[in-house]
Amino acid sequence: MPPSHSHRSRWSQAGDLAIEVPAVIVTFVMMVHVTLNAVLRKYFGSPIDYTLEITQYWYMPILAFLGFMAAQRRGQHIAADLIFQMLPTVSRRFVLAFFYLVAAVLVAALAKFGWGEAQFAREIGKHAGITPVPAWQPYYLAPLAFGVMTLQFLHAAYTAIRFGVAEESIEEAELNEFIGTDEPTEAKEALR
């Protein structure tokens, strides 16, 4: 559920960039790596060693965890607001804040569990299968991502309490953000 204020600060935009720019870079590097591997394998019979392992143990975890953070940052996780829209406007902010706090506790628990797993992977020197590719470093992405998401959910709970909740549904909020305005226009009416 989007908060009622819609103006995004420079810090908010910088937060988006801090998450999304690395995701774009990693996606591009992975695309070049996999494509180059396929071309070298097909035409020169000499693929890049350990491409599958690097993709599986490095690129994909980075993209997944950056994606989790970016989706939360933009408020684009799946939400079913059918019952929520039926609640009195006054209670919506408190219900939303409560569920954001529950989510914050859950992802904080995942961060704590992920930290223990990352420490264990480091201690045993985890590798990608039987290859020499080290794979313990990406394990630290889980506690990092879930730690950031804990802060994001806590901030969302604070924002819900402080500023309330928009009267529009999630779909309307996404449409307004896509079009870039809060005013009804012919373009928005055409997309509905």
Side-chain angles (χ1 to χ4, degrees), residues 47-66:
I48 300 172
D49 291 336
Y50 312 118
T51 296
L52 178 64
E53 290 80 4
I54 292 169
T55 301
Q56 179 180 354
Y57 286 92
W58 282 87
Y59 296 140
M60 295 312 292
I62 292 170
L63 292 176
F65 287 119
L66 287 173

Side-chain angles (χ1 to χ4, degrees), residues 26 56 91 105 117 123 152:
V26 171
Q56 179 180 354
S91 63
V105 168
E117 291 296 305
E123 287 170 10
Q152 288 175 323

Side-chain angles (χ1 to χ4, degrees), residues 161-175:
I161 292 291
R162 180 125 192 317
F163 297 107
V165 179
E167 292 296 320
E168 61 196 1
S169 70
I170 293 171
E171 292 81 14
E172 291 170 331
E174 288 175 351
L175 181 61

